[in-house]
Amino acid sequence: MSRVLDRLDALYALGDKIGYSEQEDAAHALVRGWIEEAGLAVEVDDSGNLIGRSGADDDVWTGSHLDSVPGGGKYDGMLGVVAGLEAVDRNRRGAVVAFRDEERGCAGSLARVASGKLPRRYLELHIEQGPVLLEAEQPLAIVTGIAGVARGEIEVHGQAGHAGTTPMAGRSDALVAAAELILQICDAASEIDGAVATVGRVAVEPGAVNVIPERVVVSVDARAPDPERFQELIDAVGLEPDYRVEPVAMSDAVRAALHEAITARDLPAIGLASGAGHDAGILAAAGVECGMLFVRSLNGGVSHHADELTSDADVELAVDVLADALARL
Ligand SMILES: [Zn+2]
């Protein structure tokens, strides 16, 4: 078990691993060495995705990504690869994969989909990156599906004017209208179960302290767990997305294997939708039977941050369940 923890430390020590950077290359080189040490056959595809094949049923893959966000933590992505290698090594079955450049838009898994050389099944262990399991006091969850993501901008128009001479009564202030819009977006998402919407950027023009705002552009990131609620949310927010990834469901067969592996340990099989995108979502959208196992995040569920933490005991349990589920696929 200490091998998994040591390997996470070694990968984290490489620092920020932005997709296709020297540091991501170094992470792939490290994992390649461990794959060879395990006696698996190494494949690196044209996009740099790394695959370690056992030679038995290696159309069943498990893994994740090795790249990170700037200032990211020790577990996001890396846990799924290190644990995946452990699971394949223990079972001498299946293949482990490390996809490239996930954080900036899943370039590696998208390229693999474009190549058409896909596994039949894919199972990904990942930290939850949220507080649900922490609050439920449970270590593991089976991901039911991966939320759809829609992004776009909404423009609000007003009339510029002198901040000192234009009476309040006659104003058309674009930023005041945008503030109301942001509250409406927040309310719309709150009314749909499992939906979230975020305004993360506001641009104000002309952007002077003594001029009434004439034009405001707000960014919107809206997510919901299934196609019905996804469309309902987009309509409610009034968004015309310029980026849109549909929600995907996880496979019944892979979920069943996870269910058996979890309940065999007398743990509850908690279902949880993923609000974050993952390589499993890309492969699922391409028709691969996918499943994901979430393990509890500590420190309030923080992720994409150095405080990202999962306990050693939860890591150990997650590796066992992953290996067991892989054996059932
Ligand atoms: Zn990740």
Side-chain angles (χ1 to χ4, degrees):
M1 191 50 218
S2 65
R3 181 164 78 172
V4 168
L5 302 174
D6 290 347
R7 286 175 172 179
L8 288 173
D9 285 338
L11 289 166
Y12 187 54
L14 295 171
D16 287 347
K17 295 174 285 295
I18 310 305
Y20 294 109
S21 65
E22 257 175 53
Q23 290 80 5
E24 195 203 30
D25 289 348
H28 275 249
L30 258 185
V31 172
R32 183 188 175 127
W34 299 333
I35 287 173
E36 286 168 347
E37 207 177 290
L40 306 179
V42 171
E43 174 194 332
V44 178
D45 70 18
D46 293 344
S47 307
N49 299 310
L50 173 65
I51 298 141
R53 296 180 182 276
S54 67
D57 299 315
D58 56 12
D59 59 350
V60 178
W61 291 10
T62 180
S64 191
H65 60 95
L66 295 172
D67 64 309
S68 70
V69 297
K74 191 164 78 173
Y75 301 87
D76 181 357
M78 287 166 277
L79 174 61
V81 175
V82 171
L85 174 54
E86 199 70 20
V88 171
D89 192 14
R90 281 189 204 172
N91 285 299
R92 303 312 298 177
R93 179 168 182 274
V96 59
V97 61
F99 288 112
R100 284 279 187 165
D101 198 10
E102 189 271 348
E103 296 288 0
R104 299 184 303 171
C106 296
S109 49
L110 281 167
R112 189 73 193 191
V113 166
S115 80
K117 294 175 196 155
L118 292 174
R120 185 171 57 88
R121 285 178 168 165
Y122 174 66
L123 173 57
E124 181 169 352
L125 166 64
H126 206 282
I127 53 168
E128 181 202 330
Q129 305 180 279
V132 177
L133 285 172
L134 182 62
E135 282 165 13
E137 298 183 353
Q138 294 297 335
L140 300 172
I142 300 168
V143 175
T144 52
I146 297 176
V149 184
R151 292 189 189 131
E153 292 180 335
I154 301 178
E155 280 187 29
V156 182
H157 295 274
Q159 179 63 53
H162 194 295
T165 60
T166 314
M168 294 307 289
R171 290 188 181 203
S172 170
D173 184 324
L175 185 54
V176 172
E180 286 172 0
L181 172 70
I182 292 167
L183 292 173
Q184 284 164 18
I185 290 169
C186 187
D187 288 344
S190 302
E191 279 166 21
I192 300 170
D193 187 35
V196 290
T198 305
V199 173
R201 195 174 58 217
V202 176
V204 182
E205 293 174 12
V209 292
N210 58 351
V211 183
I212 298 166
E214 181 160 68
R215 179 172 174 267
V216 173
V217 181
V218 300
S219 68
V220 182
D221 175 300
R223 307 180 188 219
D226 60 52
E228 294 73 30
R229 284 180 276 182
F230 189 47
Q231 191 56 51
E232 190 189 341
L233 176 66
I234 290 168
D235 293 343
V237 168
L239 186 63
E240 286 171 24
D242 49 34
Y243 172 89
R244 179 174 176 147
V245 177
E246 300 302 317
V248 285
M250 296 291 96
S251 132
D252 289 342
V254 183
R255 285 170 65 180
L258 287 168
H259 190 280
E260 287 165 17
I262 287 174
T263 52
R265 287 164 176 77
D266 291 327
L267 290 166
I270 297 169
L272 196 59
S274 173
H278 294 288
D279 293 309
I282 303 298
L283 267 60
V288 176
E289 289 181 31
C290 289
M292 287 191 80
L293 176 64
F294 271 175
V295 61
R296 171 166 50 193
S297 293
L298 301 179
N299 287 339
V302 68
S303 183
H304 285 183
H305 190 280
D307 288 346
E308 187 178 275
L309 184 65
T310 291
S311 75
D312 293 353
D314 282 358
V315 167
E316 183 171 8
L317 175 66
V319 172
D320 287 346
V321 167
L322 182 75
D324 188 352
L326 181 67
R328 297 169 192 266
L329 286 171

